[in-house]
């Protein structure tokens, strides 16, 4: 929680990233001046109490930010949670989870009960949909999928049972930008809670709570960690919702290891410079791709040709390194010819690390509220921190392979 920082609003995001979560009691030794820069790894299961009275009083108090038992965290995780909270003006606190999917699942379980209805963006990450279908539906919680481009038109889908609206903007596979402020304002007026998967932009480019959302979820696995070596999720919420989020996380026994929290906190310090570079390189490559004859469309919200561009410009302060492009014609085989021969792009799930990745994506397979129509197969790129000239040359050769295979 950020209440101990000096007026966090006075600091710009790059300054916050450098300073947030570094409390003197976590970086110094009692009674000694000075201290270290980064809170260390505090590993713990058992916490030792001074006496029985101390043990009893600890049990009766809120454990967040007080040593109680290892499952409730230690200063390593609290420091990271504090820093993430500070990045989201309007937030009360942040809970950490062993993956992004765990964060999404726990947030949904915290706000929904049997009989409720959930509105879910049709563009959402497919494991999010799987949780709704395979866990929520058997519990009597219905999910209705909506066109992510609806904006305030989502009002037509709201019923007396609608309890929550889940957004993902832009969609991490097809990059539709949602009118987040319009949906959040409408939901708040009707007493419906809004949750957003904010993994693409992170609060660095889009502080979601400041745009009216109640609960902001990150797959920290991606840009927060930034080095493709830790799984983690986070949920940051307003004062009205944070107690429920914290309670559900505790009831489900959700936590992250101090070693992983330490790595994620280390990644967070460079989030700004990394994202600025991901943004510049990805924009250059997206622009180059949009000029290639074999590319039908580039799905990148910062390109004026992208349908969500106006909303992106209004609401976001930047764009990250993940975008897609639709090939002109071709099929599974010619798309594979492009991807398989790439020298500088790994083939793999996840994204947000320092290294570039290419992935075949088939949105038509899981959409239900909208039909995915495209001129050819879709490729998603994560643009890493390599030299963009090398990446462009690699993609150029890939498009030649695609042409040859397509015929
Ligand atoms: C990867 C991802 C997640 C899930 O994160 P994990 O840490 O892999 O569980 C959630 N949402 C989006 C948009 C993602 O890309």
């Amino acid at each position: 929680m950020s209440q101990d920082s000096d007026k966090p609003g006075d600091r710009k995001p790059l300054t916050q990233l450098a300073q947030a979560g570094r409390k003197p009691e976590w970086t110094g030794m009692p009674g000694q001046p000075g201290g270290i820069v980064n809170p260390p790894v505090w590993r713990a299961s058992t916490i030792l109490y001074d006496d029985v009275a101390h043990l009893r009083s600890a049990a009766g108090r809120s454990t967040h930010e007080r040593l109680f038992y290892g499952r409730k965290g230690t200063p390593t995780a609290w420091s990271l949670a504090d820093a993430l909270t500070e990045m989201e003006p309007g937030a009360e606190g942040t809970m950490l989870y062993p993956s992004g999917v765990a964060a999404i699942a726990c947030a949904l379980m915290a706000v929904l009960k049997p009989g409720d209805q959930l509105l879910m963006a049709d563009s959402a990450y497919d494991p999010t949909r799987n949780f709704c279908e395979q866990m929520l539906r058997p519990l009597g919680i219905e999910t209705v999928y909506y066109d992510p481009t609806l904006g305030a038109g989502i009002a037509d889908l709201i019923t007396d049972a609608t309890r929550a609206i889940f957004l993902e903007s832009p969609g991490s596979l097809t990059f539709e930008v949602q009118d987040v402020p319009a949906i959040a304002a409408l939901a708040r007026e009707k007493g419906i809670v809004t949750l957003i998967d904010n993994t693409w932009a992170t609060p660095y480019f889009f502080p979601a709570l400041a745009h009216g959302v109640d609960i902001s979820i990150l797959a920290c696995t991606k840009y927060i960690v930034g080095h493709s070596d830790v799984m983690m999720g986070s949920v940051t919420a307003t004062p009205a919702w944070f107690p429920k989020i914290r309670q559900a996380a505790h009831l489900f026994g959700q936590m992250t290891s101090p070693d992983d929290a330490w790595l994620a906190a280390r990644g967070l310090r460079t989030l700004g410079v990394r994202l600025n570079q991901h943004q510049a390189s990805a924009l250059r490559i997206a622009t180059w791709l949009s000029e290639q004859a074999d590319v039908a469309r580039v799905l990148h919200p910062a390109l004026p040709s992208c349908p969500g561009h106006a909303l992106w410009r209004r609401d976001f302060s930047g764009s990250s390194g993940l975008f897609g492009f639709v090939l002109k014609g071709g099929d599974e085989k010619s798309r594979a010819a492009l991807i398989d021969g790439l020298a500088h792009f790994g083939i793999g799930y996840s994204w947000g690390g320092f290294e570039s990745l290419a992935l075949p994506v088939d949105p038509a397979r899981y959409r239900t509220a909208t039909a995915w129509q495209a001129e050819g197969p879709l490729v998603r790129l994560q643009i890493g921190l390599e030299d963009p000239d090398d990446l462009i040359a690699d993609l150029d050769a890939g498009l030649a392979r695609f042409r040859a295979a397509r015929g």
Side-chain angles (χ1 to χ4, degrees):
M1 278 172 266
S2 61
Q3 67 267 28
D4 296 302
S5 327
D6 292 344
K7 297 190 199 149
D10 291 345
R11 293 185 282 175
K12 296 197 188 322
L14 280 174
T15 311
Q16 288 178 328
L17 286 170
Q19 298 175 349
R22 289 167 46 199
K23 287 188 186 177
E25 60 268 40
W26 298 338
T27 51
M29 289 173 68
Q32 289 193 26
I36 58 176
V37 174
N38 295 312
V41 178
W42 295 58
R43 286 201 193 86
S45 55
T46 296
I47 305 299
L48 298 173
Y49 296 96
D50 290 345
D51 50 32
V52 171
H54 180 204
L55 180 143
R56 297 260 186 261
S57 75
R61 296 184 304 181
S62 159
T63 53
H64 194 73
E65 303 209 348
R66 284 188 191 88
L67 287 171
F68 175 71
Y69 177 54
R71 199 188 325 109
K72 303 286 174 76
T74 66
T76 319
W78 302 337
S79 167
L80 172 64
D82 266 17
L84 290 171
T85 301
E86 191 176 319
M87 296 302 293
E88 285 272 11
E92 168 77 9
T94 296
M95 297 306 287
L96 301 173
Y97 306 79
S99 70
V101 164
I104 291 165
C106 259
L108 287 170
M109 292 300 275
V111 303
L112 292 164
K113 60 179 188 324
D116 288 347
Q117 185 196 69
L118 164 70
L119 296 180
M120 172 64 64
D122 205 30
S123 48
Y125 181 62
D126 40 335
T128 304
R129 298 176 69 111
N130 295 343
F131 183 79
C132 296
E133 294 311 308
Q134 294 166 39
M135 182 58 73
L136 295 183
R137 196 172 297 280
L139 290 176
I141 299 162
E142 185 202 14
T143 301
V144 172
Y145 297 89
Y146 66 90
D147 180 344
T149 64
L150 267 184
I154 202 172
D156 296 341
L157 297 176
I158 291 173
T159 69
D160 288 345
T162 308
R163 188 77 200 92
I165 301 176
F166 195 103
L167 306 93
E168 181 176 316
S169 181
S172 58
L173 295 165
T174 43
F175 304 96
E176 295 90 341
V177 183
Q178 297 192 247
D179 193 340
V180 178
I183 294 174
L186 180 87
R188 206 162 270 183
E189 190 190 300
K190 294 183 180 290
I192 296 167
V193 59
T194 48
L195 310 91
I196 191 168
D197 184 332
N198 200 24
T199 303
W200 183 85
T202 82
Y204 180 68
F205 284 145
F206 185 73
L209 269 49
H211 287 83
V213 176
D214 298 307
I215 297 170
S216 175
I217 304 170
L218 296 177
C220 297
T221 308
K222 313 294 165 56
Y223 286 121
I224 306 302
V225 166
H227 296 72
S228 305
D229 48 12
V230 173
M231 301 293 300
M232 192 183 295
S234 68
V235 178
T236 301
T238 57
W241 286 98
F242 183 65
K244 279 218 135 191
I245 292 294
R246 180 172 55 195
Q247 181 193 40
H250 286 164
L251 290 172
F252 280 109
Q254 295 291 298
M255 61 167 299
T256 187
S257 84
D259 300 78
D260 287 348
W262 183 83
L263 280 167
R266 175 178 262 230
L268 190 71
R269 300 296 171 207
T270 58
L271 178 72
V273 285
R274 283 186 288 111
L275 275 177
N276 290 342
Q277 185 59 49
H278 285 297
Q279 163 169 253
S281 297
L283 260 175
R284 233 193 95 200
I285 293 165
T287 304
W288 178 83
L289 278 168
S290 71
E291 293 158 355
Q292 304 310 303
D294 301 301
V295 173
R297 270 187 289 152
V298 177
L299 312 178
H300 188 312
L303 292 192
S305 59
C306 198
H309 180 68
L311 289 174
W312 172 81
R313 261 184 59 164
R314 187 192 66 188
D315 296 339
F316 290 68
S317 62
S319 58
S320 64
L322 190 79
F323 68 94
F325 64 97
V326 176
L327 288 159
K328 207 172 270 175
D331 56 10
E332 173 76 17
K333 234 180 106 205
S334 45
R335 175 173 63 181
L338 189 166
I339 294 175
D340 286 346
L342 292 170
H344 301 310
F345 290 80
I347 304 170
Y349 292 111
S350 203
W351 46 281
F354 56 84
E355 84 291 9
S356 289
L357 296 170
L359 190 74
V361 174
D362 299 298
R365 277 198 200 152
Y366 54 82
R367 291 203 166 214
T368 49
T370 53
W372 170 252
Q373 279 168 341
E375 303 82 341
L378 172 61
V379 177
R380 191 182 76 175
L381 296 178
Q382 130 85 7
I383 301 302
L385 303 178
E386 304 89 347
D387 191 307
D389 286 339
D390 288 340
L391 301 178
I392 286 176
D394 205 14
L395 291 167
D396 200 20
L399 286 172
R401 284 191 302 276
F402 166 73
R403 260 194 310 279
R406 179 191 58 189

